[in-house]
Structure formats: structure tokens, C-alpha cells
């Protein structure tokens, strides 16, 4: 009986971390925008992009800019 309670607790915790309106499968299949920025070689900045860089998207759900060289 105890393993069932632990399994139920784990499932509740897993579903509580998904943003509202996102289904289980779509929430796991999507990459965060900061991950995409880092994979392209950019950096996430809340301040304006440094010299000789350009804005190439957003980070942290649109709150920061992805700066690329």
C-alpha cells in the first residue's frame, strides 16, 4: 500500500510543475527558450545586448533577450 502512495505523490509533483494549459506530453516535448538560445551559441541577458552582438530571440519566457555574436 505504501508504494502506491509514493507513486501517487510522485505523479502529483510531476504534474504540479507543468505550466497551466500545457498537457503532459507537450510540456515534456518542448525545450525552454533559454536552452534553445544556449544551443545556438547565444547568451541570455536581461540588460541590452553587449556591443557587436544582435538579438536573436528571447529567454525566460520573453523576459530576457538572447544575444548572439
Amino acid at each position: 500500500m505504501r508504494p502506491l502512495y509514493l507513486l501517487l505523490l510522485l505523479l502529483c509533483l510531476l504534474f504540479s510543475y507543468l505550466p497551466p494549459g500545457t498537457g503532459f506530453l507537450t510540456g515534456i516535448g518542448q525545450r525552454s527558450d533559454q536552452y534553445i538560445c544556449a544551443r545556438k551559441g547565444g547568451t541570455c541577458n536581461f540588460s541590452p545586448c553587449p556591443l557587436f552582438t544582435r538579438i536573436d530571440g528571447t529567454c525566460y519566457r520573453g523576459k530576457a533577450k538572447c544575444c548572439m555574436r
Side-chain angles (χ1 to χ4, degrees), residues 1 6 8 10 12-14 20 27 35-36 40 45-47 53-54 57 66:
M1 197 66 159
L6 291 175
L8 181 62
L10 287 173
C12 289
L13 288 175
L14 177 68
Y35 174 81
I36 294 170
K40 291 194 290 187
N45 294 324
F46 286 102
S47 59
T53 59
R54 59 181 162 71
C66 177

Side-chain angles (χ1 to χ4, degrees), residues 3 7-8 16 18 21 47 50 53 59:
L7 180 63
L8 181 62
S16 70
L18 293 176
S47 59
T53 59
C59 294

Side-chain angles (χ1 to χ4, degrees), residues 49-68:
C49 291
L51 289 175
F52 308 113
T53 59
R54 59 181 162 71
I55 298 175
D56 192 69
T58 61
C59 294
Y60 306 112
R61 296 184 182 167
K63 295 178 184 171
K65 298 173 218 50
C66 177
C67 300
M68 303 274 296

